[in-house]
Amino acid sequence: DPIVVMRYKELFPVGKHEIRSYPLIGFASEKTGILFVNRDERDHRRAIRKKVEEFLGLGRSILLFPEGTVSAGSNLLPFRPGSFQSAINAGVPVVPTAILFKSSDIPWKDGDSLYRHMISQLGKRRIDANLIFLDPVHGLEPSELAANAREAIISQFGGNL
């Protein structure tokens, strides 16, 4: 998913620190400028949040997936409000983005590892997807901003997520 979005926008992704240890994927991820976060350590989450705020303050855009996990792609999972605190602190809106893959064998399959999923996708000659950048949303609190972003995506598809 990050590769699809980053094809069209210059973004700095945020991802879980475990990705660093994945063969090939970890090396490639580091080269993209990814901000790795150890979600189990409060101090590390705080440090990454501060770094994200710095990036936003410099006019850079951040890519994160506020569901906080992967899914089979058939439903939009709840958004974690903590992901939105940096945007509020930096005083910038959030641009909700939706990715709709045209083939059912692209989204994550339950039980797949990231490595297995990436290998299966790298073998494809072409992956067709609709990438939709929605209007920016605002909120005064992380939970409000998360709800606004999620609702914007759901509304785009007539509630069919």
Side-chain angles (χ1 to χ4, degrees), residues 9 17 25 29 37 46 54 60 68 93 120 139 148 158-159:
K9 300 277 185 185
H17 79 283
I25 297 167
S29 295
V37 60
R46 191 176 299 128
E54 290 173 19
R60 296 177 177 167
S120 71
N148 292 346

Side-chain angles (χ1 to χ4, degrees), residues 71-117:
S71 70
S74 57
N75 291 310
L76 189 62
L77 300 176
F79 287 0
R80 295 174 178 242
S83 303
F84 294 87
Q85 185 65 56
S86 296
I88 292 170
N89 291 352
V92 297
V94 168
V95 178
T97 305
I99 305 170
L100 292 174
F101 293 103
K102 295 181 180 181
S103 174
S104 62
D105 71 336
I106 303 299
W108 199 275
K109 292 175 181 56
D110 288 333
D112 260 3
S113 67
L114 176 61
Y115 185 73
R116 180 180 293 156
H117 179 72

Side-chain angles (χ1 to χ4, degrees), residues 19 40 43 64 78 81 106 113 123 125 138:
I19 294 170
D40 295 332
D43 289 343
L64 58 83
I106 303 299
S113 67
R125 293 183 59 126
H138 300 80

Side-chain angles (χ1 to χ4, degrees), residues 27-85:
F27 176 77
S29 295
E30 285 197 39
K31 297 302 177 193
T32 68
I34 192 168
L35 299 171
F36 291 106
V37 60
N38 184 339
R39 298 182 297 186
D40 295 332
E41 294 183 21
R42 177 185 282 189
D43 289 343
H44 196 257
R45 290 192 316 263
R46 191 176 299 128
I48 293 299
R49 190 175 295 131
K50 186 159 184 59
K51 186 72 168 171
V52 166
E53 288 172 28
E54 290 173 19
F55 277 36
L56 293 172
L58 294 171
R60 296 177 177 167
S61 296
I62 300 294
L63 172 64
L64 58 83
F65 294 88
E67 293 170 291
T69 190
V70 294
S71 70
S74 57
N75 291 310
L76 189 62
L77 300 176
F79 287 0
R80 295 174 178 242
S83 303
F84 294 87
Q85 185 65 56

